[in-house]
């Protein structure tokens, strides 16, 4: 089991460029999440998905878009990168929240720098 | 708004000592409280969690206590070892439209000195 994987691991963008971060999970989880982690702050939810074909906004969605075309994949897009989007991005997946088996599994992260 | 405060931000202990990290949450509807350990260059990993119907939970050297009245929960690590050095995050979660809303604390960097 690979768990949750993310590509790429590192990326440097110039302001205004676009990119897509890919998250894949092999645990057959319905729920998937994208977080950003900034120094001195906890993880903040960008977008999440409760199943294939569905997405919803989290706490800090502005400047990002997501898609969940396949159950195992969750893509995070930056259409026009800004320096404020410099961060470490984590993807996570989970089974149904509120159940005994619920646990969020996190990927290794993508470190993005926007210059 | 909803928030989770975590203290201290940095904690340094001698190997074998105990470490305690404290969190306070604001949303009384929160009913699930996980703790994550994040090692350098890796994603957070769940180490222990507690639900609102339980006051204390223990797993080997790790324990978590919850005081719902005070909206306060704590992580206790006994007999610390150098491999416990990491950043620890607390979180408070509740059911939310279409999912589960989780608010994370800012993290505690734990150093265990050999």
């Amino acid at each position: 089991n690979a768990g949750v994987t993310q590509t790429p691991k590192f990326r440097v963008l110039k302001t205004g460029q676009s990119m897509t971060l890919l998250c894949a999970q092999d645990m057959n989880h319905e729920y998937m999440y994208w977080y950003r982690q900034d120094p001195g702050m906890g993880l903040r939810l960008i977008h999440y998905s409760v199943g294939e074909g569905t997405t919803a906004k989290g706490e800090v969605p502005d400047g990002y878009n997501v898609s969940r075309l396949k159950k195992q994949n969750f893509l995070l897009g930056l259409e026009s990168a800004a320096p404020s989007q410099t961060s470490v991005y984590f993807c996570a997946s989970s089974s149904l929240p509120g159940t005994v088996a619920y646990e969020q599994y996190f990927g290794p992260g993508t470190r993005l720098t926007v210059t | 708004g909803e928030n989770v405060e975590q203290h201290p931000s940095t904690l340094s202990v001698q190997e074998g000592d105990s470490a305690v990290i404290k969190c306070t949450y604001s949303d009384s509807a929160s009913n699930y409280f996980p703790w994550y350990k994040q090692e350098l260059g890796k994603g957070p990993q769940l180490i222990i969690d507690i639900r609102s119907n339980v006051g204390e939970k223990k797993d080997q050297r790790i324990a978590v206590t919850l005081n719902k009245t005070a909206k306060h929960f704590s992580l206790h690590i006994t007999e610390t070892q150098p491999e416990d050095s990491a950043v620890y995050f607390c979180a408070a979660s509740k059911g939310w439209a279409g999912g589960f809303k989780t608010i994370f604390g800012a993290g505690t960097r734990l150093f265990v000195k050999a």
Side-chain angles (χ1 to χ4, degrees), chain A residues 31 33 35 37 40-45 48 50 57-59 90 97-109, chain B residues 2 32 34 36 38 41-47 49 51 87 89 93 96-107:
Chain A
Y31 287 71
Y33 316 81
Y35 292 93
Q37 184 178 42
M41 302 181 72
L43 293 152
R44 292 183 292 168
L45 184 65
Y48 66 100
V50 302
K57 294 180 180 180
E59 187 182 349
F90 288 99
T99 61
V100 173
Y102 171 78
E103 176 182 343
Q104 286 198 35
Y105 293 84
F106 286 85
Chain B
E2 298 151 355
Y32 173 69
Y36 295 89
Q38 186 177 23
K42 297 184 179 181
Q45 184 173 12
L46 181 73
I47 55 171
D49 56 13
R51 285 172 167 78
V87 179
F89 291 96
S93 301
W96 194 38
F100 215 49
K101 187 170 188 177
T102 299
I103 305 294
F104 288 83

Side-chain angles (χ1 to χ4, degrees), chain B residues 71-86:
Chain B
K71 290 190 270 187
H72 174 93
F73 59 114
S74 300
L75 177 71
H76 304 253
I77 306 174
T78 59
E79 301 172 19
T80 54
Q81 300 167 3
E83 52 264 38
D84 294 329
S85 296

Side-chain angles (χ1 to χ4, degrees), chain B residues 9-32:
Chain B
S9 57
T10 305
L11 180 59
S12 183
V13 300
Q14 285 292 140
E15 182 178 2
D17 287 350
S18 295
V20 180
I21 302 170
K22 299 181 179 181
C23 289
T24 304
Y25 61 99
S26 61
D27 190 344
S28 57
S30 299
N31 56 11
Y32 173 69

Side-chain angles (χ1 to χ4, degrees), chain A:
Chain A
N1 260 359
V4 179
T5 59
Q6 293 181 231
T7 53
K9 287 185 169 51
F10 303 92
R11 186 73 185 267
V12 178
L13 287 179
K14 294 186 174 166
T15 298
Q17 288 185 318
S18 63
M19 78 163 293
T20 300
L21 283 67
L22 172 64
C23 175
Q25 52 96 4
D26 61 2
M27 295 173 281
N28 201 35
H29 285 159
E30 291 291 340
Y31 287 71
M32 295 188 75
Y33 316 81
W34 275 108
Y35 292 93
R36 60 177 289 172
Q37 184 178 42
D38 300 297
M41 302 181 72
L43 293 152
R44 292 183 292 168
L45 184 65
I46 304 170
H47 286 280
Y48 66 100
S49 168
V50 302
E52 182 179 321
T54 71
T55 62
K57 294 180 180 180
E59 187 182 349
V60 288
D62 294 342
Y64 305 95
N65 56 75
V66 289
S67 64
R68 183 102 181 264
L69 299 179
K70 293 183 179 181
K71 185 177 183 178
Q72 63 267 33
N73 295 339
F74 195 28
L75 278 64
L76 178 71
L78 285 72
E79 293 180 345
S80 179
S84 60
Q85 294 178 305
T86 294
S87 188
V88 181
Y89 292 86
F90 288 99
C91 175
S93 71
S94 76
S95 57
L96 182 65
T99 61
V100 173
Y102 171 78
E103 176 182 343
Q104 286 198 35
Y105 293 84
F106 286 85
T110 295
R111 183 174 294 275
L112 175 66
T113 301
V114 183
T115 61

Side-chain angles (χ1 to χ4, degrees), chain B residues 54-79:
Chain B
V54 176
E56 184 174 358
K57 183 177 179 180
K58 189 173 182 180
D59 183 2
Q60 299 183 340
R61 296 187 297 108
I62 295 173
V64 57
T65 58
L66 171 65
N67 182 330
K68 282 204 69 181
T69 302
K71 290 190 270 187
H72 174 93
F73 59 114
S74 300
L75 177 71
H76 304 253
I77 306 174
T78 59
E79 301 172 19

